[in-house]
Amino acid sequence: MTLHKESSTSTLPQFAESYWLHSTPNMPQFPSLTEDLKADVVVVGAGITGITSAYLLAKRGLKVVVLNAGRIIEGTTGSTTAKITAQHDLIYSEYISHFGEEIARLYYEANNEALQFVKNTVKELGIDCGLTQEDAYMYTSSDAYLKKIEDEYSAYEKLKIPSSYVDTTPLPYETRGAVIMKDQAQFNPVPFLIRLIQEIVRMGGQIFEQTTVVGSTLEKPSIVKTKQGPQVVCDYVVTASHFPFNDLRGLYFSRLHTERSYVLAARIDKPYPGGMYLSAEEPKRSLRALLINGEPAVIIGGEGHKTGQGICTFQYYEHLQQFGEETFGLKEILYRWSAQDVFTLDNMPYIGQQLPNVPNLMIATGFRKWGMTTSIVAAMLNTSLIVGEKSPYEEVFTPRRFHADPSIKTFVVQNSNVAMHLIAGKLELLHKEPEDLAPDEGSVVRVNGKRAGAYRDSKGDLHVVDTTCTHMGCEVEWNEAELTWDCPCHGSRYSFQGDVIEGPAKKALAKVHLV
């Protein structure tokens, strides 16, 4: 169902921009790495996982260096809905079925500890980040999903998760049933992380931006190598950057896939009822409140799809817009943005030792859209492993696991999908030429008989790139809502000029010169 823009009383902002990032104009800035260094631990990535990891490691007295390819916090962390909850979709009944009650219980306990960590840290450091305690609702408006909601509540009861079941919710539309996880939370992650950064620096940690890590040696100490040239010698390396930059033997590109989802922040006509909500059925609908310039607003999220495999990406924003109009009445859409999240084969994050028999390389990925808690779980678990402490969660999240159910089926489906897009991109018939593009239009085009990608900016200048992804050779697709080139195989994303925005790719798309 596509919404025609003229039917809406509120228009979508022209450009995608996260409220969390826009609301913090004085973001701290750090230099790029220009000289060789030594450290106890190098953390690669400066989102919530990397920053929290560095904070916890520094508190344990370790010398920490954080390296980030772009600006700090501007990846997935800056594009979240910022719900801090252990209610991660319909997951607990699935975990009990696949892994057993003990693993499911430990998953809940780990994420609940992460929630308490945020609450305690906000209080301890006096952080003004809009933290509020909220109940989290997993609901359905469809009879077809009612049994799944009931099964999830049964799982909560087995695991002794503080919860309740209700037939209706306070939402201004009909719902058929919901399971409520009590006393969860929401916040603005940016001021929270800025305060942790201040503590990292105070404790002697070093942070470097615009520094792309391209590899590291396996032995201890490790040599972490950067695209810019300087190196860091360290005892441990923590990868906190979605896909591992050092995917030597783990073949994580075949064990992970990426999805994009979309968010609107809007002022509404009807009062918001309080609480955080997520629909069980597709397309997903995620809801939470926030204050923008002191005025009440709501975040509406959902519309997920595999990266590079969405068609007409503006339609996902428009669907959320239509939902908001029909349910709350939109006064004004203030912001729109999207996020990229990583999924594992069995829907359990990979946290811990990246490779067998290599105890000094740690990984944290596969948070499946729930990074506000699982990122902190990762930071706490990897810190424990580095300092030599036992953790009850090590075997729950170990990246070395492989469960026949559901991993084999998911592995086959995902990699068949990759193969299909790899072949389809090479065989695509091309009809457009670069000169056919209007201002602010991008498309796959034909240049000298070959596939290329072109974007004509608002000034009329053309930016033409080779569309072959530099990771494994798939053909990227144009994302019109974000003005990016996205890879449908492993989720690499590039700016319209070809620069890498998100990995696993490390190299930019080649420029194409028109003859």
Side-chain angles (χ1 to χ4, degrees):
M1 179 171 58
T2 301
L3 175 68
H4 298 291
K5 294 181 181 179
E6 61 268 23
S7 67
S8 174
T9 59
S10 297
T11 58
L12 290 167
Q14 183 178 3
F15 299 108
E17 181 179 36
S18 162
Y19 166 71
W20 311 123
L21 296 172
H22 184 260
S23 65
T24 313
N26 298 318
M27 188 83 71
Q29 297 186 27
F30 297 93
S32 59
L33 183 66
T34 57
E35 61 182 2
D36 294 348
L37 294 176
K38 290 185 178 180
D40 294 319
V41 185
V42 168
V43 177
V44 181
I48 186 170
T49 309
I51 291 170
T52 308
S53 298
Y55 170 74
L56 292 176
L57 290 162
K59 284 188 73 174
R60 304 302 288 268
L62 298 176
K63 182 179 180 180
V64 182
V65 169
V66 180
L67 304 178
N68 196 61
R71 294 294 314 282
I72 59 171
I73 313 177
E74 289 192 352
T76 298
T77 297
S79 301
T80 178
T81 57
K83 296 177 178 179
I84 319 167
T85 177
Q87 187 184 68
H88 297 169
D89 211 323
L90 296 173
I91 200 68
Y92 290 101
S93 57
E94 176 185 327
Y95 281 173
I96 289 174
S97 173
H98 290 312
F99 311 133
E101 286 187 27
E102 179 65 9
I103 294 296
R105 180 183 61 79
L106 288 169
Y107 180 88
Y108 167 75
E109 290 178 357
N111 282 277
N112 187 55
E113 283 185 24
L115 168 62
Q116 303 312 316
F117 169 84
V118 174
K119 291 181 177 180
N120 294 338
T121 303
V122 167
K123 184 177 180 181
E124 175 188 343
L125 299 180
I127 306 174
D128 182 9
C129 59
L131 180 72
T132 60
Q133 185 165 289
E134 307 282 347
D135 289 343
Y137 292 73
M138 191 77 210
Y139 74 91
T140 183
S141 299
S142 167
D143 288 338
Y145 279 79
L146 195 55
K147 179 65 164 56
K148 293 183 178 182
I149 292 289
E150 293 169 349
D151 289 345
E152 189 72 356
Y153 180 58
S154 296
Y156 282 24
E157 290 187 307
K158 287 179 183 177
L159 302 174
K160 296 181 170 52
I161 297 174
S163 59
S164 61
Y165 182 90
V166 293
D167 294 320
T168 61
T169 69
L171 292 170
Y173 51 91
E174 183 179 4
T175 52
R176 303 286 294 134
V179 59
I180 306 172
M181 189 175 286
K182 303 287 189 178
D183 301 329
Q184 306 300 287
Q186 60 188 28
F187 72 156
N188 181 337
V190 175
F192 176 81
L193 293 175
I194 288 176
R195 186 68 183 87
L196 295 193
I197 287 168
Q198 292 170 349
E199 287 296 299
I200 292 167
V201 173
R202 183 186 65 79
M203 292 184 285
Q206 295 175 277
I207 300 172
F208 297 94
E209 297 180 311
Q210 310 297 342
T211 303
T212 302
V213 174
V214 296
S216 70
T217 58
L218 297 183
E219 70 274 4
K220 185 177 180 180
S222 293
I223 301 173
V224 178
K225 304 171 184 179
T226 69
K227 181 180 179 180
Q228 290 75 13
Q231 302 177 342
V232 185
V233 176
C234 61
D235 291 330
Y236 291 90
V237 181
V238 177
T239 299
S241 56
H242 278 190
F243 275 82
F245 67 89
N246 206 2
D247 195 2
L248 299 172
R249 298 199 306 264
L251 299 178
Y252 282 92
F253 67 84
S254 67
R255 300 166 58 195
L256 299 167
H257 80 269
T258 60
E259 293 189 10
R260 298 201 65 74
S261 54
Y262 299 82
V263 179
L264 300 179
R267 295 170 59 234
I268 55 179
D269 290 324
K270 298 179 182 178
Y272 186 77
M276 305 182 299
Y277 301 85
L278 181 68
S279 66
E281 60 266 31
E282 300 286 349
K284 291 294 183 184
R285 293 291 178 261
S286 172
L287 296 163
R288 60 151 289 188
L290 78 162
L291 291 175
I292 297 180
N293 298 325
E295 296 187 17
V298 64
I299 286 179
I300 305 170
E303 294 290 322
H305 65 84
K306 281 191 174 183
T307 303
Q309 298 185 27
I311 300 173
C312 181
T313 46
F314 261 115
Q315 72 175 330
Y316 303 112
Y317 288 113
E318 292 173 346
H319 292 167
L320 295 177
Q321 179 183 16
Q322 180 173 348
F323 170 79
E325 290 281 6
E326 293 174 349
T327 56
F328 293 103
L330 298 183
K331 289 182 179 179
E332 182 183 10
I333 301 173
L334 302 169
Y335 298 89
R336 67 170 177 91
W337 67 88
S338 63
Q340 181 144 307
D341 294 276
V342 179
F343 289 68
T344 67
L345 292 176
D346 59 10
N347 283 334
M348 182 75 76
Y350 295 144
I351 303 168
Q353 186 177 317
Q354 180 179 339
L355 297 170
N357 304 316
V358 186
N360 60 322
L361 297 183
M362 304 296 174
I363 193 175
T365 189
F367 301 156
R368 50 182 298 276
K369 305 185 183 183
W370 298 106
M372 293 300 99
T373 51
T374 47
S375 59
I376 292 169
V377 170
M380 294 191 293
L381 175 52
N382 281 331
T383 296
S384 294
L385 296 176
I386 287 170
V387 301
E389 294 178 350
K390 291 290 185 181
S391 170
Y393 309 124
E394 180 176 357
E395 292 306 313
V396 176
F397 298 104
T398 174
R400 302 186 302 279
R401 70 183 183 271
F402 189 90
H403 296 283
D405 179 19
S407 294
I408 291 176
K409 178 181 178 181
T410 308
F411 180 86
V412 172
V413 170
Q414 285 184 189
N415 287 283
S416 296
N417 179 267
V418 169
M420 178 189 72
H421 282 276
L422 176 61
I423 295 169
K426 306 299 183 184
L427 300 179
E428 181 180 2
L429 295 176
L430 305 174
H431 303 288
K432 277 196 172 184
E433 305 282 348
E435 54 267 27
D436 297 333
L437 299 180
D440 281 328
E441 183 183 3
S443 178
V444 174
V445 296
R446 183 175 57 238
V447 176
N448 300 326
K450 297 181 179 179
R451 192 183 201 269
Y455 170 68
R456 189 182 299 277
D457 63 28
S458 58
K459 297 178 181 179
D461 295 330
L462 270 173
H463 306 268
V464 188
V465 297
D466 186 332
T467 58
T468 302
C469 180
T470 60
H471 174 231
M472 292 189 71
C474 293
E475 297 297 326
V476 298
E477 301 292 344
W478 179 242
N479 178 338
E480 64 178 353
E482 319 296 331
L483 304 183
T484 60
W485 293 104
D486 299 352
C487 177
C489 292
H490 302 109
S492 296
R493 300 181 66 238
Y494 306 83
S495 72
F496 62 79
Q497 294 173 318
D499 298 322
V500 176
I501 297 174
E502 298 190 63
K506 300 181 181 72
K507 297 181 180 179
L509 296 175
K511 304 285 187 182
V512 173
H513 301 286
L514 301 180
V515 178

